[in-house]
Amino acid sequence: MTDAQETAADSSLRTTGGAPPDDVEPAPIPLLEPRDGIPPVIADDASLAEVIAAFAAGSGPVAVDAERASGYRYGQRAYLVQLRREGSGTALIDPVGCPDLSGLGEAISGVEWVLHAATQDLPCLREIGMVPTQLFDTELAGRLAGFPRVGLGAMVESVLGFVLEKGHSAVDWSTRPLPEPWLRYAALDVELLVDLRDALEKELDRQGKLEWARQEFDAIAQAEPAPPRKDPWRRTSGMHKVRRRRQMAVVRELWETRDRVAQRRDVSPGKVLGDAAIVEAALALPANVHALAALNGFGHRMGRRQLEQWQAAVDRAKTLPDSQLPQPGQPVTGPPPPRAWADKDPAAAARLSAARAAVSALAEQLTMPQENLITPDTVRRVCWEPPSPDPESVAAALAGYGARPWQVEQVTPVLVAALSATS
């Protein structure tokens, strides 16, 4: 970090949330420029080998980012990987041309990776062989430190005093060749990530939260990949309107047909058929292609062959025996929705109300979001099947639900008080 950046970071961290005096004209915030220009995109094995050697020889943490084509392509694969390291410079790698980056992952194994919102990028990085052993998440660090806005642009501006270019985060990163403005945007995403990490580490240490952050980062790095979601069709937007099992079967058939088509064409499922159209067809149960074509989402632009494909899915659902129709709702694990607690168990509802208020007050005192202090699901589980209202029992319950040691230490006293007051 340059002297100017160090000064900007220290000043910003001291005055976060403040404002300059009325008679002082705020200095313009400079637009960030790539220090080394825009590097060429690496798309062949020979060039990748050079990058691997360069990053193995670098020093300090490695800034890592990935760009996906959400909303354009099927799945969440990476279409560009950006890295920067002291002594190595910036690298932009095309995972289409270089689909196996395990060699790069091994070269920087054991080195701290710096990511922003790590849980968003880790799944697609894992697919191409890049798995960190230790990391620093600048977005999560910002949350724990109490910053009101934790997007990368907002954090770089408030902490380091630079403005990042905007406007390319939601583009189709599967486009080839990638336009130069997009590559510039991508390179800047890792330009100051390590500088931001260093400034946030200082701030977390100043607040006495650095060990808390390290526990959170370790939990992310060690987490197992999420298992495939059961019955993903149930998450269709507007599903709450679908009440009857036969209609649910239509949603399932249309969703699964759409998913197969989207996967085959490598496009986002929403570009094949919208959720609203699926729900519309489920509610209407159209008798034929003509009736289907009259529904919203199946308009005049859809060809006869496509309409027949969707009508065939509807017909399959309509002819299923009752024994094969989906059951309403999913098997519930854990406590019921909180809105039902007052009727099912008024005492549990009282515990939850007291616990939520106590956790909210503690989160405000610690200047961090409640969900980062302790997950709402953990609070619900503790209140639905409460342990004995003593520190040892509550601490054991929190740890059993996956709370980190720092969370157990902070939350146990307030939950003990809340459970004791309502027991």
Side-chain angles (χ1 to χ4, degrees), residues 320-341:
L320 283 175
D322 288 352
S323 61
Q324 295 182 25
L325 296 178
Q327 294 296 326
Q330 293 174 283
V332 176
T333 58
R339 62 179 177 274
W341 286 32

Side-chain angles (χ1 to χ4, degrees), residues 80-342:
L80 188 70
V81 175
Q82 309 101 280
L83 303 97
R84 184 175 178 84
R85 190 181 192 190
E86 185 69 28
S88 310
T90 298
L92 304 179
I93 303 174
D94 178 4
V96 177
C98 301
D100 181 6
L101 297 186
S102 56
L104 177 59
E106 290 170 6
I108 55 176
S109 178
V111 175
E112 181 186 83
W113 296 17
V114 184
L115 302 101
H116 192 81
T119 54
Q120 295 182 20
D121 287 340
L122 289 180
C124 70
L125 290 171
R126 184 179 288 110
E127 287 181 359
I128 52 179
M130 296 186 64
V131 182
T133 55
Q134 55 180 306
L135 61 84
F136 190 107
D137 186 333
T138 50
E139 190 225 31
L140 181 52
R143 290 178 178 276
L144 295 175
F147 284 82
R149 296 167 59 224
V150 293
L152 181 58
M155 294 290 289
V156 166
E157 183 173 335
S158 65
V159 176
L160 299 178
F162 285 94
V163 174
L164 284 178
E165 286 190 6
K166 302 175 182 176
H168 301 304
S169 60
V171 298
D172 181 3
W173 287 96
S174 69
T175 300
R176 292 296 183 273
L178 286 164
E180 183 173 314
W182 298 12
L183 295 174
R184 173 190 174 85
Y185 166 91
L188 288 174
D189 269 358
V190 292
E191 182 79 15
L192 291 180
L193 208 50
V194 173
D195 297 333
L196 179 61
R197 171 236 179 272
D198 292 344
L200 288 172
E201 182 179 60
K202 290 181 181 178
E203 178 64 8
L204 287 167
D205 191 35
R206 186 188 70 79
Q207 295 185 20
K209 299 175 179 176
L210 184 55
E211 176 56 29
W212 303 358
R214 286 173 175 157
Q215 291 180 26
E216 292 299 303
F217 302 155
D218 287 346
I220 294 173
Q222 295 166 13
E224 294 293 327
R229 191 181 298 276
K230 180 174 170 48
D231 291 345
W233 58 270
R234 291 184 184 270
R235 294 177 61 84
T236 303
S237 180
M239 189 68 191
H240 62 282
K241 302 175 187 176
V242 182
R243 305 287 187 183
R244 292 158 47 194
R245 294 174 63 201
R246 185 70 59 185
Q247 294 172 329
M248 291 180 183
V250 172
V251 172
R252 182 176 63 186
E253 287 291 336
L254 285 171
W255 191 98
E256 291 178 349
T257 300
R258 178 184 70 174
D259 196 64
R260 288 192 295 271
V261 172
Q263 188 170 12
R264 185 178 72 246
R265 291 169 49 189
D266 191 18
V267 297
S268 169
K271 290 187 175 297
V272 176
L273 186 68
D275 281 8
I278 290 178
V279 171
E280 185 92 2
L283 296 176
L285 296 175
N288 50 47
V289 167
H290 180 73
L292 181 69
L295 300 177
N296 289 333
F298 298 92
H300 62 280
R301 291 188 300 170
M302 190 172 288
R304 175 81 184 189
R305 187 173 177 180
Q306 289 177 292
L307 287 170
E308 289 175 346
Q309 170 184 253
W310 303 125
Q311 185 61 44
V314 173
D315 292 341
R316 286 196 298 273
K318 289 167 69 174
T319 57
L320 283 175
D322 288 352
S323 61
Q324 295 182 25
L325 296 178
Q327 294 296 326
Q330 293 174 283
V332 176
T333 58
R339 62 179 177 274
W341 286 32

Side-chain angles (χ1 to χ4, degrees), residues 10 53 196 270 390:
D10 289 346
L196 179 61
D390 60 77

Side-chain angles (χ1 to χ4, degrees), residues 15-31:
T15 61
T16 298
D22 292 339
D23 59 342
V24 176
E25 186 72 24
I29 300 176
L31 186 68

